[in-house]
């Protein structure tokens, strides 16, 4: 296996990397039998599309609002009945997502590194996620793109890590399952660690991760 | 029906609005029986995703290259055999897309307006499309985002129209079938005319078109 050298800090993406965005499927299936998975997938993909579009247009809104807009679209598209009350239930589940098992096992083991989270969530959303999962003591910084009012993969978001930690870009290992975030982090100059749990194929965006892992369980062995 | 007032010029999106991006399906189905539609859809959606992502990252590449990257991804994802030769055939079809019938009938009838195209294609790609379809005499300007090195819906792309035509923003009617482009044009200050041929639901991005039409055939009647 490849080894990564010179890393002093690890920054983690939250949604989809540390937290399983599809842990809302169970609730969604209770509310809309047989439709939970489709709703979760469309909700997530619209969230991301809206983040990219709003960043391109210079019309940032906080992730909570963007998330609700994506949910409204997904419910309309799938012709699911529901209003404020149903959305509130689903959004509450989204704000208390479950940890991936490998993240739960691995993050506390990576004690040689300063650890932080850089998320598209607002500070309040990130704090709620992390505290609900009981992992807050692992992180020195919880960083939110809300501070710069653009979404990832805009370079200004990754700069937040450098500004807080005062490290060189190549001293940061950026851990993410989202390929657009892999590319954004790599383009910025971080060492990109792609957690590819579902064995998806990479996008053709002209850059690659420094290392690809099927699980975070492999992380303790990658540092040279 | 709503009427639009004060419009002096009409700017048209090309891909998906004047030209049918899915006219490659026939060739794709010949090459990959039964897979043409799926290939065309995934190719198109990846094209757009890559445009947005590259704009967010500040890593613009010309549409021809981006288009080929999206095709490479789509073929890999669908496990379709093919290399440079197969891609060249499909890309050639994409560079000579068919006109939508309603566009063919309507554009020549809109003789009271200065007409232009604003496309994500490079100048050479736009010229080839328009000349292949025999509609070049209808347009005073063929404008390409390549001049500003960002993709739509970045406001700098819509500014190209203002710079060339020297009109006020609200004097421009922007005609597009792509909802992200509706929103981008509206956010910029144009009057947005959404050609919604397939009766899709609008995205939840906080802005609406000035008018929604099921076909360009209705366009001659919308001006007050």
């Amino acid at each position: 296996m490849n080894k990564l050298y010179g890393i002093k800090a690890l920054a983690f993406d939250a949604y989809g990397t540390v937290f399983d965005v599809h842990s809302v499927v169970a609730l969604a299936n209770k509310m809309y039998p047989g439709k939970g998975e489709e709703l979760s997938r469309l909700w997530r993909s619209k969230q991301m599309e809206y983040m990219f579009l709003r960043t391109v247009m210079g019309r940032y809104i906080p992730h909570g609002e963007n998330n609700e807009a994506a949910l409204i679209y997904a419910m309309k598209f799938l012709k699911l009945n529901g209003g404020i009350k149903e959305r509130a239930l689903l959004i509450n589940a989204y704000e208390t997502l479950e940890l991936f098992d490998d993240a739960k096992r691995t993050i506390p083991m990576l004690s040689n590194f300063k650890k932080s989270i850089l998320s598209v969530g607002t500070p309040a959303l990130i704090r709620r996620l992390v505290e609900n999962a009981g992992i807050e003591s692992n992180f020195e910084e919880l960083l939110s793109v809300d501070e710069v009012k653009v979404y990832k993969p805009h370079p200004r978001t990754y700069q937040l890590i450098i500004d807080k930690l005062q490290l060189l870009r190549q001293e940061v290992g950026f851990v993410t399952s989202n390929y657009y975030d892999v590319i954004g982090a790599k383009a910025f100059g971080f060492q990109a660690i792609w957690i590819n749990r579902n064995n998806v194929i990479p996008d053709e965006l002209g850059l690659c991760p420094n290392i690809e892992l099927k699980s975070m369980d492999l992380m303790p062995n990658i540092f040279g």
Side-chain angles (χ1 to χ4, degrees), chain A:
Chain A
M1 189 187 284
N2 271 344
K3 296 270 180 187
L4 301 181
Y5 292 90
I7 289 177
K8 296 187 178 166
L10 294 171
F12 292 79
D13 171 52
Y15 296 108
T17 298
V18 174
F19 299 95
D20 183 358
V21 291
H22 297 298
S23 59
V24 297
V25 168
L27 171 65
N29 260 329
K30 249 184 240 174
M31 295 170 62
Y32 304 107
K35 294 281 186 184
E37 195 165 325
E38 206 178 351
L39 175 60
S40 181
R41 270 182 210 289
L42 183 57
W43 183 8
R44 173 70 177 156
S45 79
K46 277 286 157 180
Q47 257 176 40
M48 293 193 290
E49 186 187 330
Y50 291 1
M51 287 193 274
F52 304 152
L53 283 173
R54 285 189 166 275
T55 301
V56 171
M57 291 195 289
R59 293 174 75 88
Y60 174 89
I61 57 173
H63 184 59
E65 294 172 35
N66 199 51
N67 194 25
E68 184 164 12
L71 179 57
I72 290 171
Y73 177 92
M75 289 177 66
K76 279 189 192 167
F77 185 89
L78 297 171
K79 301 190 167 61
L80 304 178
N81 288 320
I84 292 174
K85 199 183 120 198
E86 286 75 13
R87 290 203 300 276
L89 286 168
L90 289 163
I91 286 168
N92 183 63
Y94 199 87
E95 292 182 0
T96 55
L97 292 169
E98 289 165 23
L99 279 175
F100 282 109
D101 288 338
D102 60 345
K104 191 175 193 168
R105 283 188 296 266
T106 305
I107 289 170
M109 295 172 63
L110 300 166
S111 50
N112 289 336
F113 302 97
K114 284 187 183 186
K115 291 186 291 300
S116 59
I117 282 184
L118 173 66
S119 172
V120 297
T122 56
L125 288 171
I126 303 172
R127 185 151 291 286
R128 189 172 176 206
L129 271 177
V130 166
E131 288 182 355
N132 178 67
I135 56 169
E136 65 272 32
S137 64
N138 291 282
F139 299 103
E140 297 192 21
E141 302 280 351
L142 302 178
L143 303 173
S144 165
V145 305
D146 196 61
E147 207 172 313
V148 288
K149 309 297 183 207
V150 288
Y151 282 106
K152 292 192 272 182
H154 195 294
R156 236 187 292 155
T157 63
Y158 303 107
Q159 182 65 38
L160 284 168
I161 297 170
I162 295 300
D163 292 347
K164 291 284 173 181
L165 300 183
Q166 300 290 320
L167 293 171
L168 300 174
R169 294 179 184 201
Q170 65 268 28
E171 291 172 336
V172 176
F174 193 85
V175 185
T176 181
S177 295
N178 295 300
Y179 202 78
Y180 72 87
D181 203 15
V182 168
I183 294 302
K186 184 68 189 277
F188 186 74
F190 291 152
Q191 299 197 46
I193 300 167
W194 184 25
I195 308 299
N196 184 12
R197 295 185 183 92
N198 300 317
N199 203 24
V200 302
I201 63 171
D203 274 299
E204 299 288 331
L205 287 162
L207 290 167
C208 306
N210 293 74
I211 195 164
E212 175 186 343
L213 304 172
K214 287 197 188 309
S215 161
M216 272 195 207
D217 288 325
L218 299 162
M219 278 189 68
N221 307 314
I222 63 173
F223 303 102

